Amino acid sequence: MTRLEPLDLWEQASQDLLAVLRDLGDDDWERPALPGWTVQDVLAHLAHLESEAAGLPQPVGGAIDVESRANQPMPTDLTHIGVEARRGRSAAELLDEFETACARRREVFAGLDLSDPSQPAPGIVGALGWDLATLLRNRPIDLWVHEQDIRSATGRPLTTTGVGAAHVAGLMTKIFPMTLRRLPAGTAVVADISGPQGRVLAARVGDDGRAAPFDPSEGSDVTLEMDDVTWLRLTGGRVDPADADVTVTGDEGTAAIVLGRLNVTP
């Protein structure tokens, strides 16, 4: 798959999500999607963050003071305040807000100088301390992950063929060695992933306690076999490792530790 520029990736991920949202029926909006959130709440969250990125005004009660700290995770209070402030809106109104924000966001970013990704991001995330690179990296993750949440909640098949899935998979590939942190020196783990985002991940712990990629043909202490849907849902904390469809060969204790650490999505 051809690598897209960050703004094109963000745009395509939002359009893939919009295609799912526009296909939902009246009975879909109140289905549970995440703990405490319905499908409509997920849409409210998406509308909130996209409207923030687009510089659109927030509803009464939809803004809070934030403490700036370089590229910190999105605070839970900020995540939930946008949803709570939109409780009185219909699904149709939220979808309209999300679509409007996606269109307006294109205009806002077209006017920015993107040559310096370390510059502060616009809007609320800039106030949080995010730079432009962090915003451009994280928004497609959020869009793809929540698209799968909505698909799962409404009985639609999950998909790993789009640019959002490829983006998430690429980032999770780089992060995989971190899942071996603090394991004994020499511990080697291979994850054999099948599916459209299939790949072989291999990391081994060095004498300094840090893990790095290695040639999986050298053998490993543990081999994990799973499809890409399972892998990416584990990285997003959407499935309990104990319930995941993973075939383990080798030390099961080490396997359990690594699977439990795959959840690294911001």
Side-chain angles (χ1 to χ4, degrees), residues 236-248:
R238 275 9 187 219
V239 60
D240 188 321
D243 299 328
D245 186 8
V246 179
T247 299
V248 176

Side-chain angles (χ1 to χ4, degrees), residues 218-239:
E218 297 175 9
S220 65
D221 299 290
V222 178
T223 298
L224 309 171
E225 296 178 76
M226 68 192 93
D227 62 24
D228 53 357
V229 170
T230 300
W231 171 45
L232 295 180
R233 282 173 64 78
L234 283 167
T235 68
R238 275 9 187 219
V239 60

Side-chain angles (χ1 to χ4, degrees), residues 67-73 128-131 134:
E67 180 182 352
S68 181
R69 196 167 68 248
N71 296 324
Q72 63 178 303
L128 278 174
W130 285 22
D131 58 25
T134 301

Side-chain angles (χ1 to χ4, degrees), residues 166-177 197 199-202 213 231-232 235:
H167 174 65
V168 176
L171 292 174
M172 294 306 112
T173 295
K174 295 176 183 178
I175 291 172
F176 179 72
Q197 300 304 324
R199 62 202 64 200
V200 176
L201 310 176
W231 171 45
L232 295 180
T235 68

